[in-house]
Amino acid sequence: MSETQNQIDATEIELLTFQVGGQEYAIDIMSVREIRGWSKATPLPHAPNFVRGVINLRGTVLTIVDLADRLGMGRTDTKERNVIIVVHTGIETVGLLVDAVSDILAVNKSELQSPPEMAADNEQAFVSALMIAGERMVRILALSAALPSENTEAA
């Protein structure tokens, strides 16, 4: 691969788009480990409301986060069409309960725009960037903000 090709590749990012509460979000595909069909999670006592519980992922306990509830859209009424996106953040692996997976987009990083600063609490800034894809406005999820922190897990 030539140096020019490497420079072109470094400016592109692949995003997995998905639906949550009728809205379109995306995450860097490099953080996605797999996509699974919905399976009922085992609830845990004293877990935050947006944590649906845990499932057995090939012998590993996987925490399931209801992304709609985490984003303030209310608890997901689960159906067979719901999916779990298994993501890895470098520290932990978590499952995100979403309505459906939509597409994979190859995007030049210059197409990503900063969201307006409207959040009163920077820790609750769940959108890291915005992107226009055709007629759609896609929100790029700030994955680290959407996942339970150590303080949340201890609550």
Side-chain angles (χ1 to χ4, degrees):
M1 188 177 292
S2 71
E3 186 173 317
T4 304
Q5 183 66 35
N6 284 339
Q7 290 173 346
I8 291 170
D9 292 343
T11 62
E12 287 191 358
I13 184 171
E14 284 190 320
L15 301 170
L16 175 70
T17 63
F18 52 91
Q19 300 289 320
V20 177
Q23 300 178 2
E24 189 168 21
Y25 284 84
I27 54 176
D28 185 343
I29 202 163
M30 296 304 291
S31 63
V32 176
R33 294 294 174 247
E34 66 180 88
I35 299 168
R36 303 175 46 91
W38 167 246
S39 58
K40 186 170 172 55
T42 302
L44 296 174
H46 304 290
N49 289 342
F50 60 86
V51 173
R52 295 297 289 256
V54 294
I55 63 170
N56 177 358
L57 180 66
R58 293 181 293 280
T60 301
V61 175
L62 181 71
T63 302
I64 304 299
V65 172
D66 184 337
L67 194 54
D69 199 10
R70 180 64 171 153
L71 297 175
M73 294 183 241
R75 193 170 174 93
T76 300
D77 183 22
T78 55
K79 302 175 182 103
E80 288 182 20
R81 294 184 52 125
N82 289 101
V83 296
I84 297 171
I85 302 173
V86 179
V87 296
H88 186 73
T89 63
I91 301 171
E92 60 184 331
T93 303
V94 175
L96 301 175
L97 172 62
V98 301
D99 297 339
V101 172
S102 305
D103 204 357
I104 296 173
L105 301 174
V107 178
N108 191 309
K109 289 181 180 177
S110 65
E111 297 177 40
L112 303 178
Q113 300 178 34
S114 298
E117 292 188 32
M118 298 177 66
D121 182 359
N122 285 340
E123 291 182 17
Q124 298 296 317
F126 296 119
V127 175
S128 63
L130 297 168
M131 178 188 76
I132 298 170
E135 298 294 320
R136 307 178 335 242
M137 177 72 72
V138 180
R139 301 153 192 90
I140 313 302
L141 183 68
L143 195 54
S144 59
L147 298 180
S149 67
E150 290 181 19
N151 293 337
T152 303
E153 290 174 349

